[in-house]
């Protein structure tokens, strides 16, 4: 392994690599477009007007900063660390996804693109993209696996009401991975006028870095809010990981604070040992898919395996390349939580705090319920509550054997 | 001189363009797939692209996607693909028809790039076309391919402008594969005028043969491409003939293999009908 770098926050290099991870593994047709995007993003990043516009939207449209809430009853119940919830589920559209989408759609507008496409799993990124496209009056097409269309029906209808076209994808297991394949296929054919708004810190460079930058608002706010609340930085950070954008947004601003313990929670599905899970870092190995090199669930030959998770947003056989790098550097701990553990955590937060968390975020919470009791009472733990669970209510009811309406 | 270079020199001497025929390894099953491979040169294929099925073929349209799924279902592997080529070289005694493997980088990466190149060369493979390995990442393949004597065919697209072409050509060998349309395989078709303009543009930058592919479906379209390019690459339309040879239950009908050959022959005739300077 390479020696520990001076900073964990300087990546990627000019070729989009985080160590061996990341890169630009795309068809030649897209390559010039990706280079254009990188140039446009770098210019926008340095442009105070772009940043001003984005900040305005984040505060007045999305409702930032999101609160950092001390979960007193949860803390008491767990009997250890002082648990704070970063309330990104209170953002407009109900998750952290809007942070990234406002940035990318503003960039699309700036680049003169006249059509936006996106992939979505749980539908949160799709809803956020449809929302921003309604706001900016840009036609929007969202690719969604047909299995996810069924299990996230409320979000499908939301996207349609917002004026987006939802294209169900039936290839493969018909989930997030297949939606991303289809979005890439669309983009190859339409790249001259179309902006591909990727929902997580994955895909070809510059997406992993760009999405991370847009999501860092989460961690930057936490730094400030925790200083105000407790007069010091947090001790522990926990977030769930599918592609890893909410986690990267929380983690990245703290990577160089050696005293901050950072934990990412993958979806263990029915259990890592069953092979039916979505924990790429725990159960996968490095490979190349969707434009980047990263940890992937795959067979011996390199054929990609289907992921499994109760949570459509975590149901993906890969992970953002920067997470793969942070794992190999040992800077971030990566653990996992099962479907059942997430479901239990989901119910716990409803009852104790009056907050219905997304099934995705419930994975982070499931780990908090294990970790917090082992930590001292003065340990300041921040969990990113990345999404709200309204969308999951029908699925959770079905899982608990309850028929809604009877 | 490599088989690919020799073949293009021969085509030039014969004053005609070539047919690059794509079939997907293991489609519709391992035995029939080998029969098809074996008979392609006699049916008129000048070069052969053997597709390596991948679960997530991002640059392929439904035809090639389905062909790959048929192969994966039939149990195709990288080893079995190499075996097909090895058998072809041994049983047919054809040491001249170039065979290129086409697919996605992860299968090469998982085997280990060096080992993949060595094994491919030992099996009788002449080149690699990896759709998701642009010049920006090609440096991890190139030295191993060179050492093993495997040509690295890169793709150029309508979006590959004059500034970018030299970067592509830096890693390209054997021939340059021009993707004639914006899009995935087997969907849109380029106009003859567009093909002519792009081929002329590319030829100003390189002496490598230029093969044009994507969206060519009929002998007439193949002939139109043959008037300007050094060869026409045809895939989706060929694997569609494999599919047409399957019954409702996916079982091969007796005319499957002859049907594929008849179609390849028609494409080859279209191309051979064009006399070149």
């Amino acid at each position: 392994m390479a020696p520990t770098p001076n900073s964990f926050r300087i990546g990627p290099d000019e070729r989009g690599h985080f160590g061996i991870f990341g890169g630009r593994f795309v068809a030649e047709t897209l390559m010039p477009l990706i280079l254009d995007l990188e140039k446009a993003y770098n210019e926008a990043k340095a442009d105070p007007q772009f940043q001003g516009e984005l900040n305005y939207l984040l505060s007045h449209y999305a409702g930032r900063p999101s609160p950092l809430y001390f979960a007193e009853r949860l803390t008491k119940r767990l009997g250890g660390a002082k648990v704070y919830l970063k309330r990104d589920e209170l953002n407009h559209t109900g998750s952290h996804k809007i942070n990234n989408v406002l940035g990318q759609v503003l960039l699309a507008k700036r680049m003169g693109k006249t059509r936006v496409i996106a992939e979505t799993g749980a539908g949160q990124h799709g809803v956020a993209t449809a929302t921003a496209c309604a706001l900016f009056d840009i036609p929007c097409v969202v690719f969604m696996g047909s299995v996810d269309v069924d299990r996230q029906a409320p979000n499908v209808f939301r996207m349609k009401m917002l004026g987006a076209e939802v294209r169900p994808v039936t290839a493969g297991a018909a989930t997030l991975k297949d939606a991303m394949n289809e979005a890439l296929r669309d983009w190859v054919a339409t790249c001259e006028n179309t902006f591909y708004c990727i929902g997580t810190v994955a895909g070809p460079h510059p997406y992993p870095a760009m999405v991370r930058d847009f999501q860092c608002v989460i961690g930057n706010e936490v730094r400030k809010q925790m200083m105000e609340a407790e007069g010091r930085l947090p001790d522990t950070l926990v977030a769930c990981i599918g592609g890893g954008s909410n986690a990267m947004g929380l983690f990245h601003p703290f990577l160089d604070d050696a005293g901050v313990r950072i934990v990412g929670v993958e979806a263990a599905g029915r259990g890592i040992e069953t092979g039916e899970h979505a924990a790429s870092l725990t159960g996968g190995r490095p490979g190349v898919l969707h434009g980047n090199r990263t940890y992937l669930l795959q067979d011996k030959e390199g054929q990609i395996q289907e992921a499994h998770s109760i949570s459509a947003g975590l149901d993906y056989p890969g992970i953002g390349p920067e997470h793969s790098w942070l794992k190999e550097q040992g800077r971030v701990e990566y653990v996992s939580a099962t479907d059942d553990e997430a479901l239990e955590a989901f119910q716990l937060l409803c009852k104790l705090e009056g907050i219905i968390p997304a099934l995705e975020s419930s994975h982070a919470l499931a780990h908090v319920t294990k970790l917090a009791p082992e930590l001292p009472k003065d340990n300041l733990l921040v969990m990113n509550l990345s999404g709200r669970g309204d969308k999951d209510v029908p699925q959770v009811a079905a899982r608990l054997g309850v028929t809604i309406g009877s | 001189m490599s088989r690919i270079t020799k073949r293009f020199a021969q085509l030039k001497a014969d004053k005609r363009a070539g047919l690059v025929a794509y079939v997907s390894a293991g489609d519709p099953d391992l035995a029939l797939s080998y029969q098809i491979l074996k008979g392609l040169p006699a049916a008129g294929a000048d070069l052969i692209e053997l597709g390596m099925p991948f679960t997530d073929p991002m640059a392929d349209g439904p035809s090639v996607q389905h062909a790959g799924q048929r192969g994966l279902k039939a149990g195709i592997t990288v080893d079995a693909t190499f075996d097909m080529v090895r058998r072809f070289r041994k049983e047919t005694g054809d040491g001249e028809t170039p065979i290129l493997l086409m697919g996605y980088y992860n299968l090469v990466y998982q085997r280990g790039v060096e080992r993949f190149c060595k094994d491919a060369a030992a099996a009788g493979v002449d080149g690699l076309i990896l759709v998701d390995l642009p010049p920006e990442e090609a440096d991890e393949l190139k030295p191993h391919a060179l050492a093993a004597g495997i040509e690295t065919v890169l793709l150029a697209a309508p979006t590959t402008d004059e500034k970018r072409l030299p970067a592509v050509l830096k890693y390209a060998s054997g021939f340059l594969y021009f993707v004639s349309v914006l899009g995935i395989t087997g969907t849109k078709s380029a106009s003859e005028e567009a093909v002519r303009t792009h081929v002329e543009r590319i030829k100003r930058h390189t002496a490598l043969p230029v093969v044009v592919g994507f969206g060519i479906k009929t002998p007439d379209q193949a002939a139109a491409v043959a008037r300007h390019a050094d060869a026409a690459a045809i895939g989706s339309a060929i694997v569609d003939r494999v599919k047409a040879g399957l019954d409702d239950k996916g079982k091969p009908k007796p005319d499957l293999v002859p049907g594929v050959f008849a179609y390849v022959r028609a494409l080859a005739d279209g191309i051979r009908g064009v006399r070149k300077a």
Side-chain angles (χ1 to χ4, degrees):
Chain A
M1 190 182 290
T4 304
N6 294 326
S7 168
F8 290 102
R9 302 185 64 202
I10 49 169
D13 66 16
E14 70 285 355
R15 297 174 60 198
H17 292 175
F18 302 91
I20 68 159
F21 300 104
R24 292 175 286 212
F25 296 88
V26 294
E28 171 61 22
T29 310
L30 291 180
M31 205 49 232
L33 281 295
I34 282 169
L35 294 172
D36 276 354
L37 173 64
E38 185 186 352
K39 191 164 159 268
Y41 173 58
N42 286 336
E43 285 165 9
K45 197 160 73 166
D47 179 354
Q49 202 192 326
F50 178 86
Q51 292 298 339
E53 226 175 311
L54 178 57
N55 288 336
Y56 178 86
L57 287 169
L58 286 173
S59 42
H60 298 279
Y61 187 70
R64 301 209 72 93
S66 67
L68 182 68
Y69 164 71
F70 171 48
E72 198 173 349
R73 292 193 65 209
L74 179 66
T75 298
K76 265 192 195 137
R77 167 70 69 92
L78 298 177
K82 205 167 171 186
V83 179
Y84 280 84
L85 301 176
K86 177 59 173 166
R87 303 286 307 273
D88 254 53
E89 101 283 9
L90 291 176
N91 296 334
H92 181 42
T93 75
S95 80
H96 69 290
K97 293 293 186 187
I98 193 78
N99 305 333
N100 163 48
V101 162
L102 287 173
Q104 285 198 50
V105 176
L106 262 184
L107 185 59
K109 200 85 186 166
R110 184 184 164 103
M111 291 175 74
K113 301 290 180 181
T114 55
R115 177 176 176 263
V116 167
I117 58 170
E119 83 295 334
T120 198
Q124 295 301 90
H125 175 60
V127 166
T129 308
T131 298
C133 287
L135 179 65
F136 288 101
D137 194 23
I138 302 181
C140 172
V141 177
V142 179
F143 295 88
M144 188 171 189
S146 59
V147 167
D148 293 338
V149 167
D150 290 340
R151 62 177 164 174
Q152 301 287 340
N155 271 345
V156 175
F157 189 61
R158 285 168 83 195
M159 287 184 266
K160 288 181 180 166
M161 283 195 300
L162 291 161
E165 179 192 341
V166 178
R167 285 204 202 150
V169 176
T170 53
T175 58
L176 183 52
K177 166 179 84 103
D178 311 290
M180 194 149 181
N181 286 333
E182 215 51 43
L184 283 163
R185 289 182 187 121
D186 180 288
W187 201 29
V188 172
T190 59
C191 53
E192 282 174 327
N193 72 342
T194 296
F195 187 99
Y196 181 15
C197 182
I198 294 184
T200 193
V201 287
H205 179 64
Y207 283 98
M210 176 171 71
V211 176
R212 173 198 71 198
D213 293 349
F214 289 138
Q215 290 294 0
C216 274
V217 65
I218 301 171
N220 288 331
E221 285 175 6
V222 167
R223 281 186 89 89
K224 198 162 157 257
Q225 291 168 319
M226 192 56 102
M227 288 304 287
E228 282 164 10
E230 300 276 356
R232 63 185 182 89
L233 292 181
D235 301 296
T236 311
L237 304 175
V238 181
C240 68
I241 298 188
S245 70
N246 91 79
M248 193 56 76
L250 174 65
F251 298 170
H252 198 264
F254 293 97
L255 289 175
D256 286 338
D257 297 290
V260 180
R261 180 179 175 190
I262 306 180
V263 187
V265 186
E266 294 189 290
R270 300 195 170 99
I272 301 289
E273 69 288 350
T274 66
E276 291 181 67
H277 60 83
S280 343
L281 289 175
T282 311
R285 59 176 201 282
V288 174
L289 179 71
H290 292 158
N292 59 161
R293 178 170 13 232
T294 191
Y295 273 74
L296 298 173
L297 300 180
Q298 55 187 323
D299 71 10
K300 194 172 140 278
E301 290 257 302
Q303 303 291 354
I304 307 306
Q305 291 172 323
E306 302 298 347
H308 167 83
S309 171
I310 188 174
S311 140
L314 305 182
D315 205 345
Y316 180 71
I319 186 167
E322 194 167 8
H323 284 293
S324 294
W325 181 75
L326 288 168
K327 174 196 161 78
E328 296 213 336
Q329 293 293 327
R331 176 60 186 101
V332 176
E333 293 166 49
Y334 292 93
V335 299
S336 62
T338 64
D339 288 352
D340 289 344
E341 290 168 334
L343 207 56
E344 209 168 296
F346 178 97
Q347 297 170 78
L348 184 73
L349 199 68
C350 292
K351 283 178 189 145
L352 285 182
E353 298 288 349
I355 297 172
I356 303 176
L359 278 173
E360 289 77 21
S361 321
S362 300
H363 285 73
L365 185 63
H367 188 69
V368 168
T369 64
K370 291 184 236 174
L371 181 62
E374 298 167 1
L375 297 171
K377 287 196 165 24
D378 61 351
N379 190 288
L380 303 177
L381 185 153
V382 177
M383 187 203 104
N384 196 17
L385 189 47
S386 54
R388 71 175 81 123
D390 307 46
K391 69 186 173 63
D392 298 313
V393 168
Q395 201 199 351
V396 170
R399 188 68 189 240
L400 297 175
V402 177
T403 311
I404 297 180
S406 67
Chain B
M1 203 192 278
S2 75
R3 279 193 198 107
I4 296 174
T5 308
K6 266 190 213 156
R7 177 53 47 105
F8 279 102
Q10 186 60 49
L11 289 169
K12 204 172 170 70
D14 293 348
K15 297 193 188 309
R16 68 173 180 91
L19 168 63
V20 182
Y22 172 100
V23 291
S24 188
D27 178 28
D29 59 43
L30 270 59
L32 287 178
S33 178
Y34 178 67
Q35 268 194 47
I36 293 170
L37 175 71
K38 200 168 138 181
L40 280 176
D46 298 297
L47 294 89
I48 297 170
E49 288 173 355
L50 188 56
M52 298 185 287
F54 181 51
T55 39
D56 295 82
M58 301 170 321
D60 286 305
S63 297
V64 173
Q65 285 177 44
H66 293 149
Q69 282 159 12
R70 289 192 294 269
L72 287 172
K73 214 174 151 197
I76 191 69
T77 60
V78 172
D79 278 329
T81 306
F82 288 155
D83 280 343
M84 282 176 71
V85 179
R86 192 175 294 115
R87 255 182 92 186
F88 173 93
R89 293 282 181 227
K90 198 172 149 197
E91 289 179 12
T92 64
D94 183 338
E96 284 161 15
T97 304
I99 301 180
L100 297 101
L101 297 183
M102 184 162 185
Y104 294 81
Y105 182 55
N106 198 42
L107 298 192
V108 177
Y109 181 64
Q110 293 309 320
R111 194 178 184 91
V113 180
E114 185 178 8
R115 186 179 151 216
F116 190 101
C117 290
K118 278 185 183 161
D119 292 351
V125 170
D126 301 289
L128 278 178
I129 310 175
L130 298 173
V131 180
D132 55 352
L133 200 72
E136 276 73 7
E137 306 290 348
D139 55 354
E140 59 183 70
L141 171 70
K142 190 70 188 180
H144 301 299
L146 261 178
I150 293 279
E151 308 265 26
T152 50
V153 171
L154 267 73
L155 298 102
T159 49
T160 313
D161 61 16
E162 313 294 310
K163 273 205 324 260
R164 198 175 151 70
L165 253 179
V168 174
L169 290 165
K170 184 181 160 202
Y171 289 102
S173 71
F175 59 87
L176 190 71
Y177 190 127
F178 179 66
V179 174
S180 59
V181 293
L182 290 180
I184 50 180
T185 54
T187 50
K188 295 184 276 191
S189 306
S191 69
E192 182 171 349
E193 182 53 25
V195 169
R196 186 182 63 81
T197 312
H198 281 297
V199 171
E200 280 175 6
R201 176 171 74 90
I202 293 167
K203 292 256 180 197
R204 284 198 293 271
H205 292 265
T206 182
L208 283 178
V210 177
V211 173
V212 171
F214 280 46
I216 305 168
K217 295 182 182 102
T218 65
D220 283 350
Q221 286 172 333
V225 167
R227 280 191 276 277
H228 310 286
D230 296 297
I234 300 166
S236 298
I238 295 177
V239 301
D240 278 347
R241 289 304 183 282
V242 175
K243 190 181 174 192
L246 298 170
D247 67 18
D248 296 346
K249 290 175 186 144
K251 294 266 174 290
K253 297 185 278 192
D255 63 347
L256 186 148
V257 176
V260 171
F261 290 158
Y263 180 69
V264 172
R265 170 51 60 198
L267 293 169
D269 288 346
I271 289 169
R272 287 172 199 223
V274 178
R275 289 289 292 174
K276 310 218 6 157

